C-alpha cells in the first residue's frame, strides 16, 4: 500500500490488501471508501472482502465505484459528503489512488480552491493532475478539457503478455518508433502458472515479476489506466485526464473477471471452501483446500464461453483428484465437473484422452450447468440447468469445496467504446488482427473477438503478427502476416503428465512437434516437462523480449 496523506482527516492509496486494514485501524481510520469497481484486475480483492476485514477492526467501508474517466458531479458531492460526515479519519483507495485524489480535488475546486493549488498539492503526494486544469478551473467535473496531447508513433494499451510482447516484437524490427505502454499495474503475472500453484507445483512467487523489470528498453511506460478511446481523432484519454495522440494503437488490456455475475460469490471468495485459480491470491487457497479435504463433495465449475484458458477449470479438477488418489482418499470424495457448455473440451480429438482421466478419478460430468448463485456459510451452490429442448431449471448442490471459474467479459472501457463489437470485444479481422473499421488499430490477447482460444500461447503467436502488420500499415514491411488461430492448452491431467492440446481456427490441430516426439492427443511426461520447466523461462526470457521462438509469421503479399 502506497499511502498519501491529503490532510489531517483524509488519506488515500492504491489497492488495499487485507493486511493493510489493521495498519489503517491503528492509525485511527474509521471509514474506508473504495473508489474501484470489482474485477478490474486479476489480483484485486473484492469490496466485500475489504468490507468484512474492515468490520473486524470497527471500520465502516463504503463502495463508491468510479469507472476511470467518468467522474460525475454527483459522485464528487457524494465523496465529499462521506468524508465530511465521518467522525474520525477517512481512507480512500482505487487502483492507483488517482480516482480518489481526483474526487477530492474536484470537491475542493467547488469550494474555490484554484486549479494551480490543486495540481501542486496532488504533485506533492505523487500524482500528476495537470490534465484536469480545465475541470478544476470550472469547478465542474463535466467541463470540457483541452490538455496538450503527448504524441507517440505507437500506443499499446495493456502491459500483459500481449502488450509487452508486441512492443518487443516491434523493437526487434525497428528502433526508430516512439512507443508507449499504458498500464497502471506495478506487477506482471504469469497467469498460466496459477493452475500449478493451485496444484501445489509452483509457488506464487514463481508467477510474478515487477512491471518495471519487463518494460522493454526504449519504451515509455505510462502508469495510468485508460478512460476512453477516440479512434476517429487517434486519441486515448487516461484516468488522470491526460491525452495520448497516436499514429497506431494496439489494444491488449486482457479481459475482466466478472465475479459479481454469480450471486453471493464475492462475499465468500477465499472462505468457506470457495476458491479459484483465476486469482493470484486465491490459488494457494485451492491447494490448501485440496490438501485438507479427506472426504465429502468437491465441485469444479466452468461458465459460458468465452473465457481465458478454457481448459483451466478442468485442470484444477484433474490435479486435485490426482492428489486425492495418491493420498488414498479419492474414494471418499465425490468429484463433479459442472460445465455451462455441452462438451468436455471444444476440440474432439483430445476428448478421449481426457475421458480416460474422468473415469480414473470417477468424476461426474454435469453439462449445461451454469453456476448462478452461491452461499458460502451453508456450502450450497445453485446452477441453472438447460435441457435438450432449451428449458431451464435451477438445481441446488451442496459442497465441501468448490473451485469457481468466474464469467468473463471485456473491460468496461473497451466494451463501451467505438472499438467494440456487439458483445464488447475489440472487433478485428481474425486473420490480420487489424480493426475492421479503424485501419490504425490492432488488438491481440484476450480482449479481441477472433474465434480463437484465449491463451498465453495465442498471444505469443499473435504478437509478431501484429508487429509485422502494423509496420506494413506504416509502409515498413512488404508482406502481411496471417494468424491461423493457434492456441495451446496444456491439460494437466495428473502431476507429471499433460495432454498438450494445440489447435487453430475450426478446431484444426496445429501440433508444434511431430507425433513421434510428442503426441498431444495422449498424456505425456514430455509435455509436463515443457509446462513445468521450459515454458516459464520461454515466457519471461523469450516471448516478452521479442525472441520469436517457433512463431515465425506466415506471410502473404500485401
Amino acid at each position: 500500500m502506497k499511502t498519501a496523506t491529503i490532510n489531517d482527516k483524509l488519506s488515500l492509496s492504491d489497492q488495499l490488501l487485507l493486511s493493510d486494514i489493521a495498519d489503517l485501524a491503528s492509525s485511527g481510520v474509521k471509514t474506508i471508501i473504495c473508489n474501484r469497481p470489482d474485477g478490474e484486475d486479476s489480483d484485486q480483492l473484492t469490496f466485500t472482502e475489504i468490507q468484512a476485514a474492515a468490520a473486524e477492526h470497527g471500520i465502516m467501508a463504503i463502495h463508491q465505484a468510479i469507472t476511470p474517466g467518468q467522474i460525475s458531479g454527483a459522485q464528487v458531492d457524494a465523496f465529499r459528503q462521506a468524508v465530511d460526515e465521518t467522525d474520525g479519519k477517512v481512507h480512500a483507495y482505487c487502483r492507483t489512488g488517482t480516482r480518489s485524489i481526483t474526487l477530492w480535488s474536484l470537491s475542493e475546486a467547488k469550494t474555490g480552491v484554484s486549479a494551480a493549488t490543486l495540481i501542486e498539492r496532488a504533485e506533492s503526494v505523487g500524482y500528476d493532475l495537470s490534465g484536469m486544469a480545465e475541470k478544476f478551473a470550472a469547478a465542474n467535473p463535466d467541463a470540457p478539457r483541452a490538455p496538450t496531447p503527448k504524441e507517440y508513433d505507437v500506443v499499446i494499451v495493456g502491459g500483459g503478455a500481449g502488450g509487452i510482447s508486441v512492443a518487443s516484437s516491434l523493437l526487434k524490427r525497428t528502433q526508430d518508433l516512439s512507443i508507449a505502454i499504458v498500464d497502471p499495474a506495478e506487477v506482471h503475472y504469469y497467469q498460466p502458472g496459477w493452475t500449478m500453484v493451485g496444484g501445489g507445483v509452483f509457488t506464487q512467487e514463481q508467477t510474478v515479476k515487477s512491471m518495471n523489470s519487463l518494460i522493454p528498453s526504449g519504451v515509455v511506460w505510462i502508469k495510468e489506466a485508460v478512460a476512453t478511446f477516440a479512434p476517429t481523432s487517434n486519441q486515448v484519454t487516461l484516468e488522470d485526464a491526460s491525452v495520448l495522440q497516436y499514429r497506431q494503437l494496439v489494444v491488449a488490456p486482457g479481459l475482466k473477471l466478472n465475479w459479481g455475475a454469480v450471486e453471493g460469490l464475492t462475499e465468500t471468495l477465499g472462505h468457506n471452501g470457495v476458491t479459484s485459480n483465476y486469482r493470484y491470491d486465491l490459488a494457494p487457497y485451492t491447494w490448501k483446500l485440496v490438501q485438507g479435504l479427506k472426504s465429502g463433495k468437491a465441485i469444479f465449475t466452468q461458465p459460458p464461453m468465452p473465457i481465458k484458458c478454457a481448459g483451466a477449470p478442468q485442470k484444477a479438477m484433474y490435479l486435485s483428484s490426482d492428489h486425492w488418489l495418491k493420498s488414498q482418499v479419492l474414494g471418499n470424495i465425490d468429484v463433479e465437473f459442472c460445465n455451462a457448455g455441452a462438451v468436455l473440451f471444444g476440440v474432439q480429438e483430445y476428448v478421449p484422452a481426457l475421458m480416460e482421466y474422468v473415469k480414473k478419478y470417477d468424476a461426474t460430468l454435469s453439462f449445461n450447468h451454469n453456476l448462478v448463485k452461491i452461499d458460502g456459510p451453508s456450502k450450497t451452490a445453485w446452477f441453472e440447468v438447460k435441457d435438450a429442448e432449451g428449458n431451464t431449471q435451477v438445481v441446488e448442490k451442496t459442497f465441501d469445496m468448490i473451485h469457481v471459474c468466474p464469467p468473463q467479459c471485456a473491460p468496461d472501457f473497451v466494451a463501451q467504446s467505438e472499438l467494440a463489437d456487439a458483445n464488447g470485444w475489440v472487433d478485428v479481422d481474425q486473420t490480420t488482427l487489424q480493426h475492421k473499421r479503424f485501419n490504425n488499430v490492432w488488438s491481440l490477447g484476450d480482449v479481441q473477438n477472433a474465434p480463437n482460444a484465449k491463451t498465453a500461447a495465442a498471444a505469443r503467436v499473435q504478437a509478431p503478427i501484429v508487429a509485422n502488420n502494423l509496420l506494413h500499415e506504416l509502409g515498413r514491411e512488404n508482406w502481411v502476416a496471417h494468424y491461423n488461430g493457434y492456441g495451446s492448452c496444456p491439460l494437466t491431467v495428473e502431476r507429471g503428465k499433460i495432454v498438450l492440446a494445440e489447435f487453430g481456427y475450426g478446431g484444426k490441430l496445429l501440433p508444434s512437434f511431430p507425433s513421434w516426439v510428442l503426441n498431444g492427443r495422449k498424456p505425456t511426461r514430455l509435455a509436463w516437462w515443457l509446462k513445468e520447466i521450459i515454458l516459464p523461462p520461454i515466457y519471461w526470457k523469450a516471448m516478452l523480449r521479442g525472441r520469436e521462438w517457433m512463431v515465425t509469421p506466415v506471410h502473404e503479399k500485401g
Side-chain angles (χ1 to χ4, degrees):
M1 177 179 64
K2 295 183 178 180
T3 303
T5 300
I6 303 302
N7 52 41
D8 290 342
K9 189 167 189 179
L10 179 65
S11 61
L12 55 89
S13 72
D14 54 2
Q15 173 67 47
L16 293 182
L17 302 177
L18 295 181
S19 57
D20 296 326
I21 307 297
D23 292 337
L24 292 175
S26 63
S27 70
V29 168
K30 299 299 182 184
T31 299
I32 291 174
I33 301 175
C34 173
N35 295 132
R36 191 178 190 192
D38 284 339
E40 284 189 330
D41 283 326
S42 55
D43 63 342
Q44 177 186 346
L45 295 171
T46 64
F47 170 72
T48 303
E49 291 173 277
I50 294 294
Q51 185 180 43
E56 293 178 2
H57 292 276
I59 299 175
M60 180 176 68
I62 299 171
H63 199 192
Q64 188 188 7
I66 304 293
T67 300
Q70 298 183 27
I71 297 175
S72 69
Q75 290 171 325
V76 172
D77 292 340
F79 182 86
R80 184 63 179 240
Q81 183 178 2
V83 174
D84 288 347
E85 293 183 355
T86 296
D87 292 329
K89 294 182 179 179
V90 178
H91 184 84
Y93 76 93
C94 57
R95 175 162 31 200
T96 63
T98 297
R99 274 166 277 188
S100 299
I101 195 168
T102 301
L103 284 163
W104 172 79
S105 299
L106 285 166
S107 71
E108 289 291 290
K110 285 191 172 187
T111 68
V113 180
S114 72
T117 298
L118 292 170
I119 292 168
E120 182 180 353
R121 182 71 182 107
E123 185 178 5
S124 71
V125 293
Y127 293 91
D128 180 4
L129 297 185
S130 56
M132 295 291 295
E134 296 291 330
K135 288 181 179 289
F136 293 155
N140 178 4
D142 302 313
R145 56 177 176 265
T148 302
K150 298 177 183 177
E151 298 184 4
Y152 297 94
D153 292 316
V154 182
V155 169
I156 301 171
V157 175
I164 291 181
S165 296
V166 79
S168 295
S169 288
L170 283 168
L171 290 172
K172 179 181 179 180
R173 290 163 173 80
T174 181
Q175 296 289 318
D176 62 351
L177 292 178
S178 57
I179 303 172
I181 290 178
V182 184
D183 197 307
E186 292 276 1
V187 296
H188 177 108
Y189 295 108
Y190 177 58
Q191 295 184 29
W194 293 350
T195 292
M196 304 289 263
V197 175
V201 182
F202 288 175
T203 64
Q204 275 182 302
E205 292 73 23
Q206 289 174 273
T207 69
V208 63
K209 291 184 184 293
S210 71
M211 185 72 80
N212 188 54
S213 69
L214 299 173
I215 299 293
S217 177
V219 172
V220 176
W221 175 27
I222 299 174
K223 208 171 90 175
E224 282 290 343
V226 169
T228 59
F229 295 103
T232 55
S233 57
N234 300 328
Q235 291 185 338
V236 175
T237 300
L238 306 182
E239 185 178 82
D240 65 357
S242 60
V243 176
L244 306 180
Q245 187 84 34
Y246 60 82
R247 292 176 64 196
Q248 300 286 318
L249 174 67
V250 179
V251 185
L255 50 68
K256 175 181 176 180
L257 302 177
N258 193 9
W259 303 102
V262 177
E263 183 181 345
L265 179 57
T266 59
E267 288 84 355
T268 194
L269 273 172
H271 308 280
N272 305 307
V274 182
T275 190
S276 178
N277 289 342
Y278 276 77
R279 212 173 79 184
Y280 170 76
D281 64 309
L282 293 179
Y285 184 53
T286 300
W287 180 231
K288 178 180 178 181
L289 291 174
V290 170
Q291 291 177 294
L293 190 65
K294 307 301 181 184
S295 64
K297 177 78 171 184
I299 297 176
F300 300 82
T301 77
Q302 179 170 319
M305 298 295 283
I307 61 172
K308 66 169 69 183
C309 192
Q314 59 185 290
K315 292 181 197 180
M317 175 180 71
Y318 298 137
L319 283 178
S320 300
S321 297
D322 179 63
H323 174 79
W324 293 325
L325 178 64
K326 291 172 179 174
S327 301
Q328 300 182 338
V329 297
L330 182 61
N332 303 324
I333 299 173
D334 180 11
V335 179
E336 183 174 6
F337 184 54
C338 292
N339 186 353
V343 295
L344 180 61
F345 194 71
V347 182
Q348 178 59 36
E349 284 83 351
Y350 299 106
V351 172
L354 300 177
M355 283 302 302
E356 289 300 314
Y357 280 89
V358 170
K359 295 173 184 176
K360 177 180 180 179
Y361 301 135
D362 194 24
T364 300
L365 298 181
S366 298
F367 296 121
N368 301 307
H369 278 56
N370 184 29
L371 179 66
V372 294
K373 181 181 177 181
I374 192 165
D375 184 288
S378 70
K379 294 186 179 292
T380 307
W382 289 264
F383 295 83
E384 189 177 80
V385 181
K386 185 179 294 186
D387 63 23
E389 287 73 41
N391 301 312
T392 60
Q393 62 173 325
V394 175
V395 299
E396 177 182 303
K397 297 177 184 288
T398 57
F399 62 83
D400 293 283
M401 166 189 168
I402 185 168
H403 178 275
V404 177
C405 174
Q408 293 162 40
C409 59
D412 293 341
F413 70 92
V414 171
Q416 297 165 8
S417 75
E418 294 181 74
L419 303 179
D421 66 8
N423 295 314
W425 307 99
V426 179
D427 196 15
V428 299
D429 178 279
Q430 69 177 45
T431 301
T432 64
L433 302 178
Q434 184 177 36
H435 197 276
K436 291 179 179 178
R437 291 182 293 120
F438 303 103
N439 290 341
N440 64 341
V441 177
W442 312 82
S443 186
L444 73 159
D446 296 343
V447 77
Q448 48 84 20
N449 68 351
N452 65 286
K454 296 182 183 295
T455 66
R460 183 170 64 90
V461 174
Q462 292 165 358
I465 291 171
V466 168
N468 181 98
N469 293 348
L470 184 156
L471 292 173
H472 177 269
E473 186 69 20
L474 291 174
R476 298 183 178 215
E477 285 282 353
N478 295 324
W479 304 89
V480 174
H482 285 186
Y483 175 53
N484 61 6
Y486 176 85
S488 174
C489 186
L491 292 147
T492 49
V493 290
E494 64 174 282
R495 186 166 184 149
K497 287 188 178 179
I498 276 176
V499 173
L500 182 60
E502 295 181 281
F503 49 91
Y505 290 137
K508 180 181 179 181
L509 302 192
L510 297 173
S512 298
F513 307 95
S515 60
W516 60 269
V517 175
L518 195 162
N519 186 345
R521 284 177 281 182
K522 295 181 179 180
T524 66
R525 192 166 299 279
L526 179 57
W528 177 271
W529 289 338
L530 188 70
K531 169 77 172 177
E532 181 186 19
I533 300 171
I534 300 174
L535 287 181
I538 285 177
Y539 181 85
W540 296 118
K541 298 179 181 180
M543 175 179 169
L544 298 184
R545 296 183 181 178
R547 298 184 180 118
E548 297 162 5
W549 181 66
M550 295 180 69
V551 292
T552 302
V554 177
H555 294 89
E556 289 195 8
K557 189 92 179 211

PDB file of all heavy atoms in Angstrom, residues 46 48-49 263-275 285 374-377 399 402:
ATOM      1  N   THR A  46     -12.073  -8.145  -3.746  1.00  0.00           N
ATOM      2  CA  THR A  46     -13.384  -7.545  -3.929  1.00  0.00           C
ATOM      3  C   THR A  46     -13.697  -6.588  -2.781  1.00  0.00           C
ATOM      4  O   THR A  46     -13.110  -6.694  -1.689  1.00  0.00           O
ATOM      5  CB  THR A  46     -14.480  -8.613  -3.988  1.00  0.00           C
ATOM      6  OG1 THR A  46     -14.549  -9.290  -2.716  1.00  0.00           O
ATOM      7  CG2 THR A  46     -14.195  -9.631  -5.084  1.00  0.00           C
ATOM      8  N   THR A  48     -16.304  -6.589  -1.030  1.00  0.00           N
ATOM      9  CA  THR A  48     -16.899  -7.366   0.055  1.00  0.00           C
ATOM     10  C   THR A  48     -15.830  -7.917   0.989  1.00  0.00           C
ATOM     11  O   THR A  48     -16.010  -7.940   2.215  1.00  0.00           O
ATOM     12  CB  THR A  48     -17.744  -8.512  -0.513  1.00  0.00           C
ATOM     13  OG1 THR A  48     -18.745  -7.967  -1.379  1.00  0.00           O
ATOM     14  CG2 THR A  48     -18.425  -9.292   0.597  1.00  0.00           C
ATOM     15  N   GLU A  49     -14.705  -8.362   0.423  1.00  0.00           N
ATOM     16  CA  GLU A  49     -13.614  -8.869   1.254  1.00  0.00           C
ATOM     17  C   GLU A  49     -13.014  -7.753   2.102  1.00  0.00           C
ATOM     18  O   GLU A  49     -12.722  -7.949   3.287  1.00  0.00           O
ATOM     19  CB  GLU A  49     -12.541  -9.488   0.363  1.00  0.00           C
ATOM     20  CG  GLU A  49     -12.975 -10.783  -0.317  1.00  0.00           C
ATOM     21  CD  GLU A  49     -11.951 -11.275  -1.312  1.00  0.00           C
ATOM     22  OE1 GLU A  49     -11.964 -10.782  -2.454  1.00  0.00           O
ATOM     23  OE2 GLU A  49     -11.135 -12.145  -0.952  1.00  0.00           O
ATOM     24  N   GLU A 263     -24.307 -14.567  -8.034  1.00  0.00           N
ATOM     25  CA  GLU A 263     -24.846 -14.019  -6.787  1.00  0.00           C
ATOM     26  C   GLU A 263     -24.176 -14.662  -5.570  1.00  0.00           C
ATOM     27  O   GLU A 263     -24.089 -15.881  -5.463  1.00  0.00           O
ATOM     28  CB  GLU A 263     -26.355 -14.257  -6.727  1.00  0.00           C
ATOM     29  CG  GLU A 263     -27.031 -13.663  -5.499  1.00  0.00           C
ATOM     30  CD  GLU A 263     -28.522 -13.939  -5.440  1.00  0.00           C
ATOM     31  OE1 GLU A 263     -29.100 -14.352  -6.478  1.00  0.00           O
ATOM     32  OE2 GLU A 263     -29.108 -13.747  -4.347  1.00  0.00           O
ATOM     33  N   GLY A 264     -23.668 -13.814  -4.682  1.00  0.00           N
ATOM     34  CA  GLY A 264     -23.073 -14.290  -3.443  1.00  0.00           C
ATOM     35  C   GLY A 264     -21.613 -14.681  -3.538  1.00  0.00           C
ATOM     36  O   GLY A 264     -20.977 -14.947  -2.509  1.00  0.00           O
ATOM     37  N   LEU A 265     -21.045 -14.716  -4.752  1.00  0.00           N
ATOM     38  CA  LEU A 265     -19.676 -15.210  -4.901  1.00  0.00           C
ATOM     39  C   LEU A 265     -18.649 -14.279  -4.263  1.00  0.00           C
ATOM     40  O   LEU A 265     -17.733 -14.735  -3.565  1.00  0.00           O
ATOM     41  CB  LEU A 265     -19.354 -15.418  -6.385  1.00  0.00           C
ATOM     42  CG  LEU A 265     -17.946 -15.919  -6.711  1.00  0.00           C
ATOM     43  CD1 LEU A 265     -17.646 -17.234  -5.995  1.00  0.00           C
ATOM     44  CD2 LEU A 265     -17.789 -16.098  -8.221  1.00  0.00           C
ATOM     45  N   THR A 266     -18.776 -12.974  -4.483  1.00  0.00           N
ATOM     46  CA  THR A 266     -17.773 -12.052  -3.937  1.00  0.00           C
ATOM     47  C   THR A 266     -17.763 -12.070  -2.415  1.00  0.00           C
ATOM     48  O   THR A 266     -16.734 -11.796  -1.794  1.00  0.00           O
ATOM     49  CB  THR A 266     -18.009 -10.615  -4.429  1.00  0.00           C
ATOM     50  OG1 THR A 266     -19.309 -10.175  -4.034  1.00  0.00           O
ATOM     51  CG2 THR A 266     -17.895 -10.527  -5.939  1.00  0.00           C
ATOM     52  N   GLU A 267     -18.902 -12.410  -1.806  1.00  0.00           N
ATOM     53  CA  GLU A 267     -18.979 -12.418  -0.340  1.00  0.00           C
ATOM     54  C   GLU A 267     -18.238 -13.599   0.284  1.00  0.00           C
ATOM     55  O   GLU A 267     -17.900 -13.561   1.469  1.00  0.00           O
ATOM     56  CB  GLU A 267     -20.440 -12.459   0.118  1.00  0.00           C
ATOM     57  CG  GLU A 267     -21.211 -11.170  -0.093  1.00  0.00           C
ATOM     58  CD  GLU A 267     -21.779 -11.004  -1.482  1.00  0.00           C
ATOM     59  OE1 GLU A 267     -21.489 -11.864  -2.358  1.00  0.00           O
ATOM     60  OE2 GLU A 267     -22.502 -10.023  -1.722  1.00  0.00           O
ATOM     61  N   THR A 268     -17.975 -14.629  -0.509  1.00  0.00           N
ATOM     62  CA  THR A 268     -17.433 -15.849   0.097  1.00  0.00           C
ATOM     63  C   THR A 268     -16.113 -16.314  -0.516  1.00  0.00           C
ATOM     64  O   THR A 268     -15.551 -17.303  -0.064  1.00  0.00           O
ATOM     65  CB  THR A 268     -18.480 -16.987   0.003  1.00  0.00           C
ATOM     66  OG1 THR A 268     -18.097 -18.061   0.856  1.00  0.00           O
ATOM     67  CG2 THR A 268     -18.641 -17.486  -1.424  1.00  0.00           C
ATOM     68  N   LEU A 269     -15.602 -15.599  -1.517  1.00  0.00           N
ATOM     69  CA  LEU A 269     -14.325 -15.987  -2.120  1.00  0.00           C
ATOM     70  C   LEU A 269     -13.217 -16.057  -1.066  1.00  0.00           C
ATOM     71  O   LEU A 269     -13.050 -15.145  -0.267  1.00  0.00           O
ATOM     72  CB  LEU A 269     -13.925 -14.983  -3.201  1.00  0.00           C
ATOM     73  CG  LEU A 269     -14.445 -15.215  -4.607  1.00  0.00           C
ATOM     74  CD1 LEU A 269     -14.112 -14.020  -5.488  1.00  0.00           C
ATOM     75  CD2 LEU A 269     -13.860 -16.488  -5.210  1.00  0.00           C
ATOM     76  N   GLY A 270     -12.480 -17.140  -1.090  1.00  0.00           N
ATOM     77  CA  GLY A 270     -11.377 -17.288  -0.157  1.00  0.00           C
ATOM     78  C   GLY A 270     -11.795 -17.776   1.213  1.00  0.00           C
ATOM     79  O   GLY A 270     -10.961 -17.847   2.120  1.00  0.00           O
ATOM     80  N   HIS A 271     -13.063 -18.105   1.356  1.00  0.00           N
ATOM     81  CA  HIS A 271     -13.592 -18.594   2.638  1.00  0.00           C
ATOM     82  C   HIS A 271     -14.585 -19.724   2.371  1.00  0.00           C
ATOM     83  O   HIS A 271     -15.061 -19.910   1.249  1.00  0.00           O
ATOM     84  CB  HIS A 271     -14.314 -17.476   3.398  1.00  0.00           C
ATOM     85  CG  HIS A 271     -13.507 -16.227   3.566  1.00  0.00           C
ATOM     86  ND1 HIS A 271     -12.532 -16.094   4.533  1.00  0.00           N
ATOM     87  CD2 HIS A 271     -13.503 -15.057   2.873  1.00  0.00           C
ATOM     88  CE1 HIS A 271     -11.983 -14.899   4.438  1.00  0.00           C
ATOM     89  NE2 HIS A 271     -12.551 -14.253   3.438  1.00  0.00           N
ATOM     90  N   ASN A 272     -14.893 -20.474   3.404  1.00  0.00           N
ATOM     91  CA  ASN A 272     -15.979 -21.471   3.336  1.00  0.00           C
ATOM     92  C   ASN A 272     -15.761 -22.507   2.239  1.00  0.00           C
ATOM     93  O   ASN A 272     -16.718 -23.063   1.698  1.00  0.00           O
ATOM     94  CB  ASN A 272     -17.330 -20.782   3.120  1.00  0.00           C
ATOM     95  CG  ASN A 272     -17.634 -19.735   4.157  1.00  0.00           C
ATOM     96  OD1 ASN A 272     -17.571 -20.011   5.361  1.00  0.00           O
ATOM     97  ND2 ASN A 272     -17.938 -18.524   3.717  1.00  0.00           N
ATOM     98  N   GLY A 273     -14.513 -22.772   1.882  1.00  0.00           N
ATOM     99  CA  GLY A 273     -14.246 -23.774   0.862  1.00  0.00           C
ATOM    100  C   GLY A 273     -14.464 -23.294  -0.553  1.00  0.00           C
ATOM    101  O   GLY A 273     -14.506 -24.109  -1.487  1.00  0.00           O
ATOM    102  N   VAL A 274     -14.571 -21.973  -0.753  1.00  0.00           N
ATOM    103  CA  VAL A 274     -14.809 -21.399  -2.092  1.00  0.00           C
ATOM    104  C   VAL A 274     -13.509 -20.785  -2.599  1.00  0.00           C
ATOM    105  O   VAL A 274     -12.962 -19.871  -1.978  1.00  0.00           O
ATOM    106  CB  VAL A 274     -15.919 -20.328  -2.043  1.00  0.00           C
ATOM    107  CG1 VAL A 274     -16.192 -19.787  -3.445  1.00  0.00           C
ATOM    108  CG2 VAL A 274     -17.192 -20.897  -1.432  1.00  0.00           C
ATOM    109  N   THR A 275     -13.031 -21.259  -3.743  1.00  0.00           N
ATOM    110  CA  THR A 275     -11.730 -20.822  -4.237  1.00  0.00           C
ATOM    111  C   THR A 275     -11.737 -20.673  -5.749  1.00  0.00           C
ATOM    112  O   THR A 275     -12.710 -21.018  -6.423  1.00  0.00           O
ATOM    113  CB  THR A 275     -10.623 -21.804  -3.806  1.00  0.00           C
ATOM    114  OG1 THR A 275      -9.347 -21.241  -4.110  1.00  0.00           O
ATOM    115  CG2 THR A 275     -10.779 -23.146  -4.512  1.00  0.00           C
ATOM    116  N   TYR A 285      -4.953 -20.939  -1.795  1.00  0.00           N
ATOM    117  CA  TYR A 285      -6.097 -21.436  -1.006  1.00  0.00           C
ATOM    118  C   TYR A 285      -6.653 -22.705  -1.646  1.00  0.00           C
ATOM    119  O   TYR A 285      -7.093 -23.625  -0.939  1.00  0.00           O
ATOM    120  CB  TYR A 285      -7.165 -20.355  -0.917  1.00  0.00           C
ATOM    121  CG  TYR A 285      -8.362 -20.712  -0.057  1.00  0.00           C
ATOM    122  CD1 TYR A 285      -8.197 -21.148   1.254  1.00  0.00           C
ATOM    123  CD2 TYR A 285      -9.652 -20.607  -0.548  1.00  0.00           C
ATOM    124  CE1 TYR A 285      -9.297 -21.478   2.050  1.00  0.00           C
ATOM    125  CE2 TYR A 285     -10.757 -20.922   0.228  1.00  0.00           C
ATOM    126  CZ  TYR A 285     -10.579 -21.366   1.526  1.00  0.00           C
ATOM    127  OH  TYR A 285     -11.673 -21.680   2.306  1.00  0.00           O
ATOM    128  N   ILE A 374     -24.271 -18.692  -5.065  1.00  0.00           N
ATOM    129  CA  ILE A 374     -23.537 -19.490  -4.092  1.00  0.00           C
ATOM    130  C   ILE A 374     -23.703 -18.897  -2.706  1.00  0.00           C
ATOM    131  O   ILE A 374     -23.746 -17.679  -2.540  1.00  0.00           O
ATOM    132  CB  ILE A 374     -22.043 -19.577  -4.492  1.00  0.00           C
ATOM    133  CG1 ILE A 374     -21.313 -20.625  -3.665  1.00  0.00           C
ATOM    134  CG2 ILE A 374     -21.361 -18.226  -4.383  1.00  0.00           C
ATOM    135  CD1 ILE A 374     -19.963 -20.996  -4.247  1.00  0.00           C
ATOM    136  N   ASP A 375     -23.821 -19.763  -1.725  1.00  0.00           N
ATOM    137  CA  ASP A 375     -23.898 -19.350  -0.326  1.00  0.00           C
ATOM    138  C   ASP A 375     -22.796 -20.071   0.420  1.00  0.00           C
ATOM    139  O   ASP A 375     -22.886 -21.282   0.666  1.00  0.00           O
ATOM    140  CB  ASP A 375     -25.267 -19.681   0.273  1.00  0.00           C
ATOM    141  CG  ASP A 375     -25.409 -19.176   1.702  1.00  0.00           C
ATOM    142  OD1 ASP A 375     -24.774 -19.773   2.594  1.00  0.00           O
ATOM    143  OD2 ASP A 375     -26.136 -18.198   1.938  1.00  0.00           O
ATOM    144  N   GLY A 376     -21.733 -19.344   0.759  1.00  0.00           N
ATOM    145  CA  GLY A 376     -20.583 -19.954   1.384  1.00  0.00           C
ATOM    146  C   GLY A 376     -20.854 -20.562   2.739  1.00  0.00           C
ATOM    147  O   GLY A 376     -20.511 -21.728   2.978  1.00  0.00           O
ATOM    148  N   PRO A 377     -21.461 -19.812   3.674  1.00  0.00           N
ATOM    149  CA  PRO A 377     -21.679 -20.366   5.008  1.00  0.00           C
ATOM    150  C   PRO A 377     -22.468 -21.670   5.012  1.00  0.00           C
ATOM    151  O   PRO A 377     -22.191 -22.566   5.816  1.00  0.00           O
ATOM    152  CB  PRO A 377     -22.436 -19.240   5.724  1.00  0.00           C
ATOM    153  CG  PRO A 377     -21.955 -17.996   5.051  1.00  0.00           C
ATOM    154  CD  PRO A 377     -21.782 -18.372   3.613  1.00  0.00           C
ATOM    155  N   PHE A 399     -21.668 -28.594  -1.163  1.00  0.00           N
ATOM    156  CA  PHE A 399     -20.261 -28.875  -1.415  1.00  0.00           C
ATOM    157  C   PHE A 399     -19.466 -28.747  -0.127  1.00  0.00           C
ATOM    158  O   PHE A 399     -19.894 -28.100   0.840  1.00  0.00           O
ATOM    159  CB  PHE A 399     -19.707 -27.912  -2.474  1.00  0.00           C
ATOM    160  CG  PHE A 399     -19.761 -26.456  -2.073  1.00  0.00           C
ATOM    161  CD1 PHE A 399     -18.770 -25.883  -1.279  1.00  0.00           C
ATOM    162  CD2 PHE A 399     -20.831 -25.651  -2.463  1.00  0.00           C
ATOM    163  CE1 PHE A 399     -18.824 -24.547  -0.894  1.00  0.00           C
ATOM    164  CE2 PHE A 399     -20.898 -24.312  -2.093  1.00  0.00           C
ATOM    165  CZ  PHE A 399     -19.893 -23.760  -1.309  1.00  0.00           C
ATOM    166  N   ILE A 402     -15.434 -25.933  -3.471  1.00  0.00           N
ATOM    167  CA  ILE A 402     -15.857 -25.597  -4.821  1.00  0.00           C
ATOM    168  C   ILE A 402     -14.821 -24.684  -5.459  1.00  0.00           C
ATOM    169  O   ILE A 402     -14.418 -23.684  -4.865  1.00  0.00           O
ATOM    170  CB  ILE A 402     -17.265 -24.957  -4.844  1.00  0.00           C
ATOM    171  CG1 ILE A 402     -17.729 -24.720  -6.288  1.00  0.00           C
ATOM    172  CG2 ILE A 402     -17.321 -23.668  -4.040  1.00  0.00           C
ATOM    173  CD1 ILE A 402     -19.217 -24.362  -6.393  1.00  0.00           C
TER     174      ILE A 402
END
